[in-house]
Amino acid sequence: MFINGEWREAKDGGAFDSINPASGEVIDQVPDGSAADAVMAIDAAAAAYKDWSSSTAYQRSDYLYRAHALMMENLEALAAVMTREQGKPIQAARNEVKYGADFLIWYAEEAKRVYGRTIPSARPDQRFIVLRQPVGVVGAITPWNYPISMITRKAAPALAAGCAIVLKPAEATPLCARAVFEIFEKAGLPAGVVNLVTAADPRPIGETLLQDARVRKLTFTGSTGVGKMLAREASHDLKRVSLELGGHAPFIVCKDADPVHAAKGLSLVKFLNTGQACISPNRIFVHVSQMDPFLNELRSRVAGLKAGSGFDAGVRIGPLVNAAALEKVDRQVRDAVDKGAELAAGGHRLTEGGLDRGFFYAPTLPIYVAPDMRIYREETFGPVAPVIPYDDDADVLAMANDTNYGLASYVYTRDLSKAMWFFEGLRFGIVGINDINPTAASAPFGGMKESGMGREGAVEGLGEYLETKLGGFSIGTGV
Ligand code: ADP
């Protein structure tokens, strides 16, 4: 763990394993932190906050530039840690490290643009000045699916704003977090500004962050259930809360779309990270007239997807994170088949050629998926693309919006008016129009409804770490 500028063991000496999900092997051990370690990390952050928050934006920016340069210099090594610990193919891991580094440089730049404003008053003697100041010590909890970029997406704007941070990474990917903090250390960040607490059981760390009144902001990426619990608990002293939670993205292929282009897009975005992404399409609505050409293209693309170790050439499908994930995906597929879905591909665990040592599931295409099936409403987080034919644009918009989630959505059409109509009508924080990658450090990412609150990336992401202060100055009758 990295606390107050030092690498430390857990206070009680405990440790836990990091496991390679492609082979089941133990890669390394990391400290198993407890509440006592979290308290030390908060102590360090609270002490460091004073100087850090009053440093200049230019100074903070310099640290972020250095961290960015170091991350890019170490891209290959970081990607290898990620592939080993999280399982995604090495090229996808490289892309993620690059995406993670993007947040560092984007907020190095944006740190210098935390502007306030002046507001005209109706009173001749009065001046209004709006000042933006860091929110305070930040508690951050990050997931395993994007184990490096989800750390920088939170840490970079927090640091740019002048906040000190205590981060608890997912128990499945502590080595990725350690590698990021080695970069923060090398960048020379002052002791206590960034702190890392690893733990096999997240609950005592979460509780400590929630209960400590010095922590003024909690930022979380993970499941909707945990996010709701954290938001509830954070309300006792009204900490600021940002939540990036689950999704159930619709992917709409309109009557006028190019079905081959749409199928290519779907196969790229759906199987990215083996479907373990909150923006992964979970309901593929295909206009009835497009079913045959779309499915033909999709089937042939799915047949070409190779599963295996992310280090092997040509592998596109890595393992799922653990046995429970495998079981959940299979349960959803079985339920859909039992209720009448047809399988155009997959539908089973992959075990041949040593894959049984890891948690591999075949890319799966259930078609004629219906609202009574679990997969129609539950997030899958696996390589399954449920296809649902539709007939009418108004109906499909209503079906797409008929979910408690509201993160990403996708539409394929060549009709500009229709594209705009869907863009405005979809109740999702992100809409990709003929675009499967509508994300960047410069763009606001986040969800509506039970997909969360707040945005990450862009100016919005920096605003999450800032308080707004109003100054009313009465200058009397003047000098
Ligand atoms: P997933 O089911 O995808 O693993 P989680 O929401 O369980 O998603 O995990 C996301 C992050 O939330 C991880 O860092 C995990 O350790 C953390 N987490 C899970 N449960 C709790 C909890 N009760 N308190 C604090 N953090 C938690």
Side-chain angles (χ1 to χ4, degrees):
M1 298 192 285
F2 190 67
I3 298 176
N4 205 22
E6 288 171 5
W7 291 98
R8 295 192 193 168
E9 297 304 318
K11 201 157 181 232
D12 65 10
F16 70 103
D17 295 338
S18 165
I19 291 165
N20 180 337
S23 64
E25 284 159 354
V26 174
I27 310 168
D28 202 350
Q29 286 210 317
V30 293
D32 187 3
S34 62
D37 299 289
V39 170
M40 284 196 296
I42 299 169
D43 289 345
Y49 177 70
K50 198 166 167 289
D51 284 348
W52 182 247
S53 58
S54 53
S55 62
T56 68
Y58 282 78
Q59 289 168 323
R60 296 196 297 274
S61 174
D62 280 347
Y63 288 111
L64 289 169
Y65 275 118
R66 275 205 286 281
H68 172 262
L70 286 161
M71 194 169 260
M72 292 306 289
E73 278 164 30
N74 289 284
L75 188 145
E76 209 47 51
L78 288 162
V81 172
M82 197 189 310
T83 294
R84 189 163 297 118
E85 187 178 51
Q86 194 268 336
K88 71 184 61 171
I90 189 73
Q91 188 51 43
R94 290 186 190 112
N95 293 345
E96 186 189 331
V97 175
K98 169 76 175 56
Y99 178 55
D102 285 348
F103 288 100
L104 296 169
I105 196 162
W106 203 84
Y107 285 109
E109 293 158 350
E110 200 61 17
K112 293 175 268 184
R113 289 186 269 278
V114 178
Y115 302 136
R117 63 195 204 276
T118 63
I119 298 174
S121 166
R123 269 170 42 202
D125 69 307
Q126 189 181 46
R127 305 291 181 268
F128 282 134
I129 298 180
V130 178
L131 188 64
R132 300 181 84 203
Q133 293 180 311
V135 66
V137 172
V138 170
I141 300 178
T142 52
W144 48 266
N145 60 339
Y146 286 88
I148 287 186
S149 59
M150 294 303 100
I151 294 178
T152 55
R153 191 157 84 170
K154 296 183 186 312
L159 296 176
C163 297
I165 184 165
V166 176
L167 187 129
K168 192 213 75 66
E171 50 276 26
T173 51
L175 299 178
C176 288
R178 188 166 84 186
V180 173
F181 274 70
E182 281 167 0
I183 287 192
F184 289 153
E185 181 192 25
K186 286 202 192 101
L189 281 161
V193 169
V194 287
N195 303 277
L196 172 69
V197 180
T198 47
D201 180 358
R203 286 168 301 180
I205 315 299
E207 279 161 23
T208 307
L209 291 172
L210 286 163
Q211 280 161 18
D212 197 310
R214 293 172 297 174
V215 176
R216 291 316 313 153
K217 157 105 194 170
L218 189 77
T219 174
F220 170 78
T221 299
S223 58
T224 292
V226 174
K228 284 183 182 176
M229 180 280 289
L230 294 173
R232 232 177 3 251
E233 298 297 319
S235 70
H236 79 93
D237 62 357
L238 290 179
K239 294 185 203 308
R240 298 281 173 273
V241 177
S242 297
L243 304 170
E244 295 289 354
L245 309 177
H248 206 273
F251 185 105
I252 301 170
V253 182
C254 294
K255 188 177 175 182
D256 68 285
D258 173 349
V260 173
H261 186 55
K264 177 181 174 193
L266 178 74
S267 70
L268 289 172
V269 64
K270 175 68 243 185
F271 300 107
L272 199 66
N273 211 14
T274 315
Q276 301 172 112
C278 46
I279 61 168
S280 193
N282 225 131
R283 288 166 299 152
I284 325 304
F285 295 107
V286 181
H287 190 269
V288 282
S289 65
Q290 297 275 30
M291 282 290 277
D292 285 347
F294 178 81
L295 282 176
N296 286 342
E297 177 67 20
L298 190 57
R299 250 192 237 105
S300 79
R301 285 183 170 270
V302 164
L305 293 172
K306 183 175 160 193
S309 158
F311 290 108
D312 293 349
V315 161
R316 292 273 311 283
I317 300 289
L320 294 174
V321 64
N322 55 31
L326 200 58
E327 214 257 318
K328 177 188 167 193
V329 170
D330 195 52
R331 197 170 55 234
Q332 285 191 3
V333 172
R334 296 270 76 77
D335 171 76
V337 171
D338 288 348
K339 290 175 181 156
E342 292 173 18
L343 279 181
H348 52 86
R349 185 178 177 179
L350 293 172
T351 52
E352 307 272 297
L355 294 188
D356 56 330
R357 292 186 297 134
F359 309 113
F360 291 91
Y361 201 79
T364 298
L365 298 180
I367 53 176
Y368 302 107
V369 164
D372 64 326
M373 301 172 189
R374 299 173 77 129
I375 203 162
Y376 193 91
R377 302 213 173 269
E378 287 177 17
E379 188 177 33
T380 303
F381 245 57
V384 185
V387 175
I388 305 148
Y390 79 92
D391 204 9
D392 175 82
D393 286 340
D395 288 348
V396 81
L397 179 64
M399 287 193 278
N401 283 335
D402 179 23
T403 166
N404 292 337
Y405 292 110
L407 188 55
S409 55
Y410 306 86
V411 181
Y412 272 71
T413 175
R414 287 185 279 203
D415 177 333
L416 180 59
S417 305
K418 194 177 280 194
M420 187 57 74
W421 183 80
F422 275 114
F423 177 51
E424 292 180 352
L426 284 163
R427 294 287 300 155
F428 293 80
I430 300 165
V431 184
I433 302 285
N434 301 318
D435 186 7
I436 50 160
N437 190 18
T439 56
S442 57
F445 183 107
M448 300 180 181
K449 298 195 269 185
E450 294 188 17
S451 287
M453 55 175 85
R455 293 294 180 269
E456 291 192 317
V459 286
E460 286 87 347
L462 189 51
E464 301 284 332
Y465 297 93
L466 294 165
E467 287 281 17
T468 296
K469 184 184 281 181
L470 172 69
F473 291 73
S474 171
I475 58 167
T477 50
V479 185

